[in-house]
Amino acid sequence: MRMFKLSTLVLLTVPAMAAPAAAAPASSGETAPSNVVARYNFDGGATDGKISDLSGKGSHLTVRGANNGTVTINTEGAGRYAAFPAACAAGATCGRAILEAPDTPDMNPGTRNFRWAASVRVTAAQMKGKANIMQKGLAGSGSVWKLQLTGKTGRAQCAMTGKGSTEAFTATSARPIADGAWHKIVCERTPTSLSVSVDGIAGSKTTIPSTLSVENNMPLRIGGPNFGESSDMYHGQLDDVYIQLG
């Protein structure tokens, strides 16, 4: 198990454009996978409320917050990572924060091969039901692709719904990951399948129609779908997010 020494902790308040940042499992010198259309490792922190897209495509993230949500910047070892607001009791007014990038053609895969991935660290105590780690689109309003954690045990789940359909296709990890350790989750869509892996271990694989097309005008959102009272917010830590097309 890789151990890190916590060397820096900075607390920022979001809506004044907080700056999450970080990288625990991945270092800033890691080579990006081929065909990457967006990548964020948080090592550079935030400048004027923006987190740089390392792919060179220009899909920079904006930090957004509600109810005085906060984002913490942690430094461990050689890297930095983003930490999202803690969950709070039912009925309470809770701070929320998400990261958002604008809609771009590269994030609308249509029927093409597509991969989206992130390294996450979350505990069972931080799970309050489903938690959306990253997604583009909303269920019930066109097409969507997303990565989420399900239930209080925190199994990783990749999900897609195509244009003109309400049928959701999902692939779920073999084991829960809400154990306080870093895990790399990879979702992959091929012409006829949707699959998930965690730390290289394959989970379920679901057959999907070759005509399933995902294309919408929604932004990419990381950490939650929106700021609704019942939205599936993520309350853990995040590093090395990337999206790969083709």
Side-chain angles (χ1 to χ4, degrees), residues 35-180:
N35 302 326
V36 165
V37 296
R39 188 173 192 181
Y40 316 98
N41 72 4
F42 309 105
D43 284 356
T47 302
D48 296 328
K50 302 283 187 181
I51 294 171
S52 295
D53 172 15
L54 302 180
S55 75
K57 299 287 187 178
S59 296
H60 307 305
L61 294 171
T62 297
V63 183
R64 294 183 56 205
N67 300 331
N68 294 315
T70 59
V71 173
T72 304
I73 299 178
N74 297 332
T75 299
E76 287 186 1
R80 305 166 80 187
Y81 60 84
F84 290 83
C88 63
T93 300
C94 304
R96 295 178 172 84
I98 63 174
L99 306 176
E100 184 175 283
D103 172 44
T104 67
D106 285 337
M107 294 188 195
N108 292 304
T111 60
R112 292 172 289 180
N113 290 354
F114 194 58
R115 177 182 291 185
W116 60 106
S119 292
V120 306
R121 181 165 67 180
V122 64
T123 65
Q126 292 171 313
M127 292 298 304
K128 301 296 181 181
K130 287 185 179 179
N132 284 20
I133 295 172
M134 57 189 297
Q135 74 176 74
K136 189 174 184 299
L138 291 172
S141 57
S143 56
V144 60
W145 60 262
K146 68 178 176 177
L147 166 58
Q148 64 185 8
L149 301 181
T150 64
K152 292 187 177 181
T153 58
R155 289 181 185 266
Q157 187 173 77
C158 309
M160 298 187 92
T161 299
K163 291 176 65 177
S165 174
T166 59
E167 184 176 7
F169 296 89
T170 61
T172 306
S173 65
R175 298 182 181 89
I177 66 164
D179 56 7

